[in-house]
């Protein structure tokens, strides 16, 4: 792009331009430049940035060569210089121009990092414009989303890295330093770091490049902390991303990073929790347990849910009901994750909330104990190793033991896995020590139930034998259906 501008200059300047191209080392940080090179650089900047020349500021000058009063104008000129975007799909294209821009970006990053004077409003505008031009882009439609499969099997897919990262990383570092700088007044900057700017930042979380998502996470978190006026809007935008992910597309690369941001946000919620925050828990966080790709962001999601319960313990029963609603019956790996999160919740739940959900909860645990997938059965039985959970069971054993005991007996008789059998014996022993008399009643009830089931099976078998016998005695005539025994 810059060569196109240079080609429009008068013919007498071509020699100087060629000298500049032959000596790329003579960049903006070189203290002594030949007169031909300086002239060419000035002509180039004049052709591209006429406003800078009118102001008398040469964007290729280093900051140390101008007075303090002129540094902010030079800062704006350098920002304008970096608004040119290059094509990085062809590494051999615009090599010198890319190096010049990269050197200028490093200068800007160093300037912002060294506690500069208070940023003027034009400087804030120019900074936001430069970041917008370089960062905000639409990802190609063929861009693969890493959430397209079940989550835990995505490790074989290598992430896609942006070829322009050598420049993008510096722009992200610049934006982070700019937002966190004490020289930036939030009252002035909020006009330019506005809702539109924040929404485009959140859109970038779709990036395939994990390095970019990490940078975005840090920047959005800092924006949330510095611009209090934008906090409700940021929460709303993140909620909308979650809603669309759960109920529409189930494809998004930045769910884990957005949940990390929200994890730190939840810790700052004041008590009692606002209704808005509870709605976010019920309508966004709990449904996030539904997608197949849960494994990618499960750790962050579990942390957010636990933070809510620690803030307001009354939410525990609602969260458990939500887990039971979205329980992954046909996905064993998700069941194991659910059981892990359930253990964390039961460690902090109070007795009142536990009693509200203990019956449906242990009916589900009974099915997990009898699961033929050994990891699910094993994880469910390991809950009895937790002293806090054992205490909850002990105080409500009259309701819980009759639910759980038949599952333990069924495991002892039928389960194929030796580790599950050993854990089942251990749990049965713990329950015997907890209340021997109640266990004897459960054993008697279980034996009676088994006797009734055996009678039902026997009666059903007799009925079928009677039907088979009757069918064999019927004469075959016409198209009469015949029951054939094997």
């Amino acid at each position: 792009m810059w060569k196109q501008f240079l080609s429009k200059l008068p013919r007498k300047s071509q020699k100087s331009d060629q000298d500049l191209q032959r000596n790329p080392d003579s960049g903006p940080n070189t203290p002594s430049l030949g007169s031909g090179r300086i002239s060419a650089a000035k002509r180039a900047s004049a052709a591209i940035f006429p406003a800078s020349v009118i102001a008398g500021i040469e964007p290729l000058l280093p900051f140390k060569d101008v007075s303090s009063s002129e540094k902010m104008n030079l800062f704006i000129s350098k920002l304008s210089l970096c608004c040119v975007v290059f094509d990085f799909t062809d590494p051999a294209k615009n090599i010198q121009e890319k190096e010049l821009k990269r050197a200028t970006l490093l200068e800007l990053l160093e300037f912002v990092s060294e506690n500069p004077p208070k940023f003027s409003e034009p400087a804030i505008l120019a900074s936001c414009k430069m970041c917008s031009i370089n960062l905000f882009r639409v990802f190609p439609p063929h861009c693969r989303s890493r959430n397209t499969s079940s989550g835990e099997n995505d490790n074989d897919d290598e992430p896609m890295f942006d070829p322009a990262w050598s420049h993008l990383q510096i722009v992200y570092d610049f934006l982070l330093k700019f937002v966190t700088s004490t020289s930036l007044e939030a009252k002035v900057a909020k006009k330019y770091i506005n809702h539109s700017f924040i929404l485009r930042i959140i859109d970038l979380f779709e990036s395939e490049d994990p390095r970019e998502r990490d940078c975005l996470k840090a920047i959005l978190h800092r924006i949330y902390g510095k611009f209090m006026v934008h906090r409700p809007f940021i929460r709303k935008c993140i909620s909308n991303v979650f809603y669309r992910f759960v109920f529409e597309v189930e494809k998004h690369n930045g769910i884990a990073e957005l949940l990390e941001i929200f994890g730190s946000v939840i810790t700052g919620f004041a008590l009692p929790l606002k209704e808005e925050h509870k709605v976010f828990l019920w309508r966004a966080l709990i449904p996030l347990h539904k997608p197949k790709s849960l494994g990618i962001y499960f750790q962050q999601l579990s942390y957010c849910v636990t933070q809510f319960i620690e803030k307001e313990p009354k939410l525990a029963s609602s969260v458990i009901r939500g887990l039971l609603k979205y329980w992954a019956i046909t996905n064993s790996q998700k069941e194991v994750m659910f059981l892990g999160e359930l253990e964390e919740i039961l460690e902090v739940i109070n007795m009142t909330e536990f009693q509200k959900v203990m019956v449906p909860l242990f009916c589900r645990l009974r099915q997990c104990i009898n699961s033929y997938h050994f990891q699910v059965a094993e994880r469910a039985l390991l809950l009895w190793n937790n002293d806090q959970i054992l205490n909850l069971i002990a105080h409500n054993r009259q309701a819980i033991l009759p639910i759980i005991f038949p599952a333990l007996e069924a495991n002892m008789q039928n389960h194929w896995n030796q580790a599950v059998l050993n854990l089942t014996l251990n749990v049965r022993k713990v329950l015997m020590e907890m209340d021997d008399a109640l266990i004897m009643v459960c054993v008697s009830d279980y034996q009676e139930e088994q006797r009734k089931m055996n009678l039902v099976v026997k009666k059903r078998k007799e009925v079928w034998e009677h039907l088979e016998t009757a069918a064999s005695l019927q004469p075959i005539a016409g198209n009469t259906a015949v029951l054939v025994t094997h």
Side-chain angles (χ1 to χ4, degrees):
M1 183 182 291
W2 290 11
K3 289 181 179 179
Q4 294 175 0
F5 286 114
L6 292 173
S7 66
K8 297 179 182 179
L9 295 176
R11 183 177 298 277
K12 63 181 181 180
S13 66
Q14 290 180 355
K15 182 178 180 182
S16 299
D17 297 340
Q18 293 170 0
D19 293 338
L20 179 61
Q21 293 179 2
R22 284 196 297 266
N23 296 277
D25 294 335
S26 57
N29 293 325
T30 305
S32 60
L33 296 171
S35 59
R37 299 190 185 95
I38 294 176
S39 177
K42 288 186 176 180
R43 289 193 186 100
S45 60
I48 302 174
F49 309 111
S52 299
V53 178
I54 293 173
I57 300 297
E58 170 53 56
L60 297 183
L61 289 174
F63 282 104
K64 65 180 181 179
D65 290 351
V66 299
S67 62
S68 299
S69 59
E70 293 293 331
K71 283 187 176 180
M72 197 55 65
N73 289 333
L74 179 59
F75 176 70
I76 296 173
S77 296
K78 288 183 179 291
L79 287 169
S80 300
L81 187 67
C82 294
C83 287
V84 181
V85 180
F86 296 103
D87 180 12
F88 282 84
T89 56
D90 184 2
K93 189 176 180 181
N94 303 117
I95 296 177
Q96 295 175 351
E97 291 88 341
K98 291 174 182 176
E99 286 301 317
L100 177 59
K101 179 181 176 181
R102 189 173 190 277
T104 307
L105 286 171
L106 289 172
E107 278 191 285
L108 290 169
L109 176 59
E110 183 180 2
F111 178 77
V112 174
S113 303
E114 293 178 348
N115 194 22
K118 185 176 70 173
F119 291 113
S120 62
E121 191 164 340
I124 299 173
L125 172 60
S127 299
C128 293
K129 179 182 177 183
M130 188 276 289
C131 293
S132 299
I133 290 174
N134 283 275
L135 300 178
F136 298 160
R137 60 208 190 279
V138 178
F139 298 109
H142 63 274
C143 186
R144 165 179 54 83
S145 174
R146 68 173 184 162
N147 286 359
T148 55
S149 60
S150 59
E152 60 273 10
N153 297 324
D154 289 350
N155 297 329
D156 296 336
D157 297 329
E158 292 295 331
M160 296 175 64
F161 297 110
D162 198 310
W165 184 247
S166 59
H167 283 197
L168 290 175
Q169 182 180 19
I170 306 173
V171 178
Y172 275 120
D173 291 342
F174 169 85
L175 181 55
L176 179 61
K177 292 291 184 182
F178 178 72
V179 169
T180 58
S181 174
T182 56
S183 303
L184 180 67
E185 291 187 355
K187 292 181 180 180
V188 180
K190 69 181 181 181
K191 293 191 294 183
Y192 305 102
I193 302 179
N194 53 20
H195 287 183
S196 177
F197 187 90
I198 292 170
L199 190 59
R200 297 295 299 275
I201 287 284
I202 294 176
D203 288 342
L204 289 176
F205 277 91
E206 264 285 14
S207 172
E208 268 288 323
D209 197 327
R211 302 168 300 182
E212 183 168 14
R213 295 196 301 271
D214 284 338
C215 292
L216 288 165
K217 178 179 65 176
I219 290 169
L220 185 59
H221 191 198
R222 296 292 186 173
I223 291 175
Y224 186 92
K226 187 159 190 170
F227 298 91
M228 295 185 64
V229 67
H230 292 327
R231 289 182 180 181
F233 179 77
I234 294 174
R235 293 196 298 267
K236 180 181 177 181
C237 288
I238 295 178
S239 299
N240 290 338
V241 172
F242 292 158
Y243 296 150
R244 186 168 183 269
F245 170 69
V246 172
F247 300 109
E248 294 182 22
V249 295
E250 288 198 10
K251 296 179 183 179
H252 197 287
N253 293 314
I255 299 297
E257 288 80 8
L258 291 171
L259 283 171
E260 283 187 43
I261 295 173
F262 234 101
S264 59
V265 168
I266 294 170
T267 59
F269 283 165
L271 295 177
L273 291 176
K274 296 180 180 178
E275 190 65 22
E276 168 202 347
H277 304 326
K278 297 179 183 179
V279 169
F280 174 77
L281 170 65
W282 296 325
R283 296 184 181 177
L285 291 186
I286 293 178
L288 276 174
H289 291 83
K290 177 183 176 182
K292 295 179 180 179
S293 55
L294 173 66
I296 295 174
Y297 56 84
F298 173 73
Q299 184 177 358
Q300 293 85 351
L301 176 61
S302 180
Y303 177 78
C304 289
V305 171
T306 305
Q307 288 296 307
F308 263 108
I309 296 174
E310 289 181 356
K311 284 281 183 179
E312 192 164 315
K314 290 183 179 180
L315 296 174
S317 58
S318 299
V319 171
I320 292 177
R321 289 192 189 97
L323 287 177
L324 296 176
K325 176 182 178 181
Y326 294 106
W327 200 273
I329 300 174
T330 59
N331 189 325
S332 300
Q333 294 303 317
K334 284 183 68 174
E335 279 195 277
V336 173
M337 288 186 277
F338 274 45
L339 289 167
E341 183 175 1
L342 190 61
E343 181 173 8
E344 293 183 6
I345 296 172
L346 293 177
E347 285 180 347
V348 297
I349 196 173
N350 59 44
M351 190 65 68
T352 303
E353 295 300 310
F354 176 75
Q355 290 173 345
K356 293 178 182 178
V357 295
M358 63 181 181
V359 173
L361 171 61
F362 278 87
C363 286
R364 171 57 59 188
L365 289 178
R366 176 180 61 191
Q367 296 177 3
C368 292
I369 290 172
N370 289 146
S371 173
Y372 282 107
H373 195 290
F374 76 97
Q375 290 179 332
V376 176
E378 192 174 47
R379 189 65 186 85
L381 291 166
L382 286 174
L383 293 176
W384 270 259
N385 290 347
N386 190 303
D387 292 337
Q388 177 63 22
I389 298 175
L390 203 59
N391 181 58
L392 293 171
I393 295 172
H395 281 83
N396 300 276
R397 58 184 180 274
Q398 296 293 335
I400 295 174
L401 265 58
I403 298 174
I404 292 297
F405 187 80
L408 299 177
E409 291 295 308
N411 264 12
M412 293 173 60
Q413 296 176 14
N414 302 317
H415 208 284
W416 62 272
N417 185 269
Q418 188 60 46
V420 173
L421 290 176
N422 293 337
L423 285 171
T424 301
L425 289 172
N426 291 338
V427 171
R428 192 179 189 280
K429 181 179 178 182
V430 169
L431 297 182
M432 290 284 290
E433 295 174 352
M434 183 183 297
D435 194 329
D436 187 32
L438 181 57
I439 290 297
M440 292 296 102
V441 174
C442 291
V443 169
S444 176
D445 292 342
Y446 176 77
Q447 291 175 347
E448 179 65 21
E449 186 67 24
Q450 287 296 111
R451 188 183 66 80
K452 291 180 180 179
M453 289 180 61
N454 290 336
L455 288 175
V456 170
V457 171
K458 182 179 180 181
K459 185 175 181 180
R460 185 185 301 118
K461 185 177 180 181
E462 291 175 350
V463 169
W464 277 109
E465 289 177 349
H466 177 72
L467 290 174
E468 290 173 354
T469 303
S472 64
L473 297 177
Q474 289 289 335
I476 300 176
N479 295 323
T480 305
V482 178
L483 180 63
V484 179
T485 59
H486 296 284

